[in-house]
Amino acid sequence: MHSPLTPYRTALLLHWELDELATYFMELQNQMRQTVEEYRSYRQRVLVVDANTLLHCQRFDKIPWSRVCGKGPATLVIPHVVVEEIDTKSYSEGSEKIRKRARGVYELLGDVLKGLSTEGRFELHDGTEVQVLRDELGHRRLPNNDDEAVARAAHLQQAIAPRQITVITRDNGMRGKAMTWCLPWGFPPDKYLIPEDGFGAKHREAKLASISVDVPEDGDDT
């Protein structure tokens, strides 16, 4: 036999569940509004850079990004994982040259983070705005840094569409991952590369020229 209180208990449980759902959707709506507001200042051209670009190009605060890979006002975006990757490279095993360079880049990134926290924005000499794409609370990163950086770029593309992002990198792995995610990518122009690092068009041509390929004679399928 059912207790006469059963209908009231059922109604109370349903009321609690509806309250929880209402709270969940209100929080979700607030998060969406916060996301829209956070990305509202991003300009029409958004350039997402990786650690390779920051380490093998000249100082990123001296490059006229408003004229790099297109023309017009731009927002330079540095994913959170890239900031931490630069920090790691500043003291990890490897060449002293890269460690020293990483320490210098990390100092510049510190200025960016300080400007964002105090002024709410950070602008370079040519008017390019710099943003750090921070991880949301509870965000779980992918194990590979390049995968994580490209995934965050794809997340940003969804958030700011129809504005278009471009992944700026010289790293083959990053370019391949960007293409897999159907994200446009571009090279930093050769004149902004550090010459002794062996990047750029002339170095690519030299590497290709050094590859010898045996071409079989006509009729020889071996």
Side-chain angles (χ1 to χ4, degrees), residues 99-206:
R99 287 197 297 270
K100 182 178 179 181
R101 196 177 294 170
R103 288 193 290 270
V105 172
Y106 193 73
E107 287 294 324
L108 295 175
L109 293 175
D111 292 340
V112 173
L113 291 170
K114 183 179 179 181
L116 291 174
S117 62
T118 57
E119 306 291 335
R121 63 198 302 270
F122 189 89
E123 190 171 290
L124 302 182
H125 67 286
D126 69 329
T128 298
E129 289 194 357
V130 183
Q131 292 286 348
V132 173
L133 185 57
R134 299 179 177 89
D135 294 343
E136 300 88 357
L137 291 176
H139 173 70
R140 297 183 63 180
R141 289 183 179 174
L142 298 173
N144 180 275
N145 285 343
D146 286 354
D147 287 336
E148 175 67 15
V150 173
R152 297 301 288 161
H155 164 79
L156 179 61
Q157 178 63 85
Q158 290 181 327
I160 68 171
R163 287 168 290 174
Q164 184 66 61
I165 75 158
T166 302
V167 177
I168 305 298
T169 182
R170 285 269 176 181
D171 183 84
N172 290 333
M174 279 290 291
R175 292 204 305 274
K177 295 176 195 302
M179 287 188 286
T180 300
W181 283 81
C182 299
L183 295 174
W185 57 270
F187 286 123
D190 286 1
K191 64 180 179 179
Y192 299 118
L193 295 172
I194 298 175
E196 62 266 26
D197 287 353
F199 291 99
K202 66 177 183 179
H203 296 285
R204 291 198 304 274
E205 292 171 1

Side-chain angles (χ1 to χ4, degrees), residues 47-64:
L47 309 176
V48 179
V49 295
D50 65 346
N52 182 280
T53 299
L54 296 179
L55 288 173
H56 297 290
C57 286
Q58 301 170 16
R59 288 177 45 162
F60 72 86
D61 61 330
K62 301 298 183 183
I63 297 175

